[in-house]
Amino acid sequence: MIGIFDSGVGGLTAYSELARLLPRADILYLADRKNAPYGTKEKDELISLVRRDIQRLRALGAEKILVACCTASTVCSFIPREEATGVIPIILPTARIAAARSEKIAVIATKYTVNSQEFTKQIRSLNERATVTEIEAGRLVSLVESGARDGRLDRAAEEYLDALAEKIAKTGADTLIFGCTHFTHVEGELKSRLPHISTLHPSRIGAAALASLPLVGMGRGKRIYTE
Ligand code: DGL
């Protein structure tokens, strides 16, 4: 079985992509809504939440686990090796594609992810000529959790996205990473405001990275578990 987790609805885009790529796979999605948002947590608390998510999915039978949350992915290197086996964070596969594609990259992400500078470090370790500008957009997490979706924005979400698009345009980037999986739920809205920027989605890239691994215990069934 494959386990996927996020703090809320963000990782559902990874879940849909994985279900599309592996229609026969047994997939369990965990949304840790009780402890959301992750993007405003301190390091130690975030690490213990991520370890707990992994342990719970393992206890439910997950052999491979997709960390469908960029914030959680930033701390995966601090998880003890024996607990991290079969755990796939989504920043590295995204950084590989970004570094091969562009040298002018912008990232929108949560406060924790931006402070960690993990996207910048990983992209620049692959291409030191790349310039990476990370922009904090954590408020978009609560807007998406409270229902903002492509084609379904209230006034506050419209205004927030207008201002965010302006900041992104100012960076001069030609490639934009949706460095928080929640943001992919409003990708059409951001793309319509930034028609010349190409976009990368760690949620879908991570799902494709997991789907390309040899898998064990495949069966039928999809489940969503939330608290
Ligand atoms: N979806 C998560 C991410 O990709 C973060 C949301 C949160 O702050 O809980 O970073």
Side-chain angles (χ1 to χ4, degrees):
M1 187 183 79
I2 299 167
I4 306 186
F5 75 88
D6 178 44
S7 62
V9 298
L12 286 172
T13 47
Y15 171 86
S16 308
E17 181 69 358
L18 205 53
R20 187 183 72 78
L21 293 169
L22 301 174
R24 294 177 59 84
D26 189 12
I27 305 174
L28 174 63
Y29 184 87
L30 169 66
D32 184 19
R33 298 183 99 166
K34 200 168 72 182
N35 294 298
Y38 280 7
T40 53
K41 298 284 185 285
E42 295 298 325
K43 183 176 176 183
D44 287 349
E45 187 181 4
L46 184 60
I47 294 172
S48 67
L49 290 172
V50 172
R51 289 178 71 184
R52 215 186 57 161
D53 292 335
I54 292 169
Q55 280 155 14
R56 294 171 84 191
L57 284 168
R58 282 222 205 283
L60 291 162
E63 290 129 0
K64 298 267 191 283
I65 297 173
L66 183 65
V67 184
C69 171
C70 296
T71 309
S73 295
T74 67
V75 296
C76 282
S77 57
F78 300 104
I79 292 169
R81 186 182 283 254
E82 63 282 9
E83 290 175 33
T85 310
V87 174
I88 292 108
I90 58 178
I91 293 182
L92 182 59
T94 308
R96 285 200 185 109
I97 295 176
R101 187 185 279 193
S102 168
E103 289 184 353
K104 248 186 168 308
I105 299 160
V107 181
I108 46 173
T110 64
K111 182 173 167 217
Y112 192 95
T113 301
V114 169
N115 286 344
S116 78
Q117 290 287 295
E118 200 57 32
F119 276 102
T120 302
K121 287 179 205 158
Q122 294 202 22
I123 292 167
R124 286 183 47 81
S125 75
L126 297 161
N127 180 357
E128 61 185 20
R129 287 199 310 270
T131 59
V132 184
T133 310
E134 300 201 29
I135 299 168
E136 196 270 306
R139 178 150 150 65
L140 205 42
V141 174
S142 56
L143 290 169
V144 168
E145 279 294 332
S146 54
R149 295 289 182 280
D150 277 336
R152 221 176 65 208
L153 298 186
D154 62 15
R155 179 75 165 261
E158 291 271 7
E159 284 173 5
Y160 186 78
L161 285 181
D162 287 344
L164 181 59
E166 222 169 279
K167 279 189 209 161
I168 297 165
K170 274 194 190 138
T171 67
D174 57 26
T175 299
L176 172 66
I177 298 177
F178 281 58
C180 167
T181 54
H182 278 71
F183 303 170
T184 297
H185 287 295
V186 290
E187 66 174 307
E189 298 288 348
L190 262 178
K191 277 184 183 169
S192 70
R193 289 163 169 81
L194 297 160
H196 305 301
I197 289 189
S198 90
T199 59
L200 290 174
H201 297 268
S203 50
R204 299 201 187 103
I205 293 168
L210 191 150
S212 70
L213 297 175
L215 294 169
V216 278
M218 301 237 304
R220 285 183 179 277
K222 311 263 178 288
R223 283 165 286 166
I224 293 186
Y225 181 78
T226 174
E227 29 174 54

